[in-house]
Amino acid sequence: MDSIIFDLDGTIWDPIDTVLEAWNRTIEEHDEAGQTMTRADFEGVMGLQVKEIEEKLFPDVDEEVRSRMLQACLEREEELLGKRGGRLYPDVEKVLETLSRSYKLFIVSNCQDGYIETFYDYHKLERFFEDFENPGRTGLSKGENIKLIVERNNLKAPVYVGDTDGDRKAAESAGIPFVYAKYGFGHVEKHDEVLETFGDLVKLY
């Protein structure tokens, strides 16, 4: 193994409390949105691309209105995350520092453009990562973005760490091993390795 590619939400941090506040503030400004969101609503869509989230959370809202409202949600989300950040899982900085001495580290997340940069800016963790990618920049699936990172950085033996079955499928489509972050938001039956905590990465590798 020469490198580790990470998912972000549910793997490195839990941003839901901040995101929930941002979205609910915006939803309250749009009568057509219906009731405000709960943490369970967001846990159920973590790992999906923005378009899929929009369809699952607001299925009865007109598509044009829905897209406009979602854009407002994302803008407020980025603004609030920039002020408050999210909740890092225990020992993230220490573990990343240890891993970065032996492996190249990357992030591939199903997020909008600017989201990973906001994570970097608030938590000051950019120094540990070589590169990142997301569909907000490329328009590609997570599996295709993983392949892009692998090719762009000439990786020979990467693994992907994530917390959802979508992450597993993405790693599988990219042809690399999948490490399941069991402490995150999803439930995954098939995996190559499993982490009970983020810190287990140091024991594993």
Side-chain angles (χ1 to χ4, degrees):
M1 189 182 81
D2 65 345
S3 51
I4 305 172
I5 307 171
F6 291 92
D7 172 50
L8 183 51
D9 296 340
T11 301
I12 295 177
W13 74 344
D14 175 352
I16 289 182
D17 289 343
T18 305
V19 171
L20 191 60
E21 181 176 340
W23 281 52
N24 279 337
R25 278 194 208 170
T26 306
I27 288 168
E28 286 167 2
E29 297 167 1
H30 294 77
D31 294 337
E32 61 271 70
Q35 64 184 22
T36 53
M37 299 289 109
T38 66
R39 185 177 177 87
D41 291 326
F42 274 94
E43 288 180 354
V45 297
M46 280 295 174
L48 300 180
Q49 288 206 16
V50 169
K51 187 69 174 175
E52 296 171 303
I53 292 173
E54 169 189 322
E55 291 169 354
K56 288 197 75 168
L57 293 182
F58 309 112
D60 301 322
V61 178
D62 175 79
E63 186 174 351
E64 185 179 339
V65 174
R66 188 171 69 194
S67 294
R68 192 166 59 245
M69 182 175 64
L70 189 78
Q71 186 57 41
C73 286
L74 294 176
E75 288 173 3
R76 185 167 270 164
E77 167 187 303
E78 193 169 319
E79 179 186 356
L80 207 55
L81 282 170
K83 294 176 180 176
R84 298 187 188 173
R87 179 176 64 84
L88 293 177
Y89 288 112
D91 301 321
V92 159
E93 185 169 1
K94 182 169 67 176
V95 170
L96 290 176
E97 185 169 5
T98 299
L99 292 172
S100 66
R101 295 185 199 127
S102 303
Y103 306 105
K104 293 181 177 180
L105 307 182
F106 305 87
I107 294 177
V108 172
S109 173
N110 266 347
C111 60
Q112 69 272 25
D113 192 21
Y115 186 86
I116 295 172
E117 295 93 323
T118 301
F119 161 76
Y120 281 161
D121 288 346
Y122 186 85
H123 291 288
K124 310 302 180 191
L125 297 175
E126 183 176 7
R127 67 190 186 278
F128 298 124
F129 296 97
E130 305 271 335
D131 196 359
F132 69 89
E133 204 49 90
N134 60 71
R137 288 205 308 191
T138 66
L140 301 174
S141 70
K142 182 172 274 189
E144 290 168 323
N145 280 325
I146 292 172
K147 286 181 185 177
L148 197 60
I149 286 288
V150 171
E151 291 164 6
R152 195 158 70 204
N153 294 278
N154 196 31
L155 306 182
K156 303 302 182 187
V159 300
Y160 187 72
V161 183
D163 67 306
T164 69
D165 201 55
D167 292 333
R168 177 193 64 79
K169 290 174 181 174
E172 187 176 84
S173 91
I176 68 174
F178 173 66
V179 180
Y180 171 37
K182 190 177 179 181
Y183 54 84
F185 302 127
H187 180 71
V188 182
E189 293 290 346
K190 291 171 60 181
H191 45 75
D192 295 289
E193 301 286 354
V194 61
L195 307 174
E196 297 289 342
T197 69
F198 192 81
D200 286 347
L201 271 167
V202 174
K203 303 173 192 173
L204 197 59
Y205 299 115

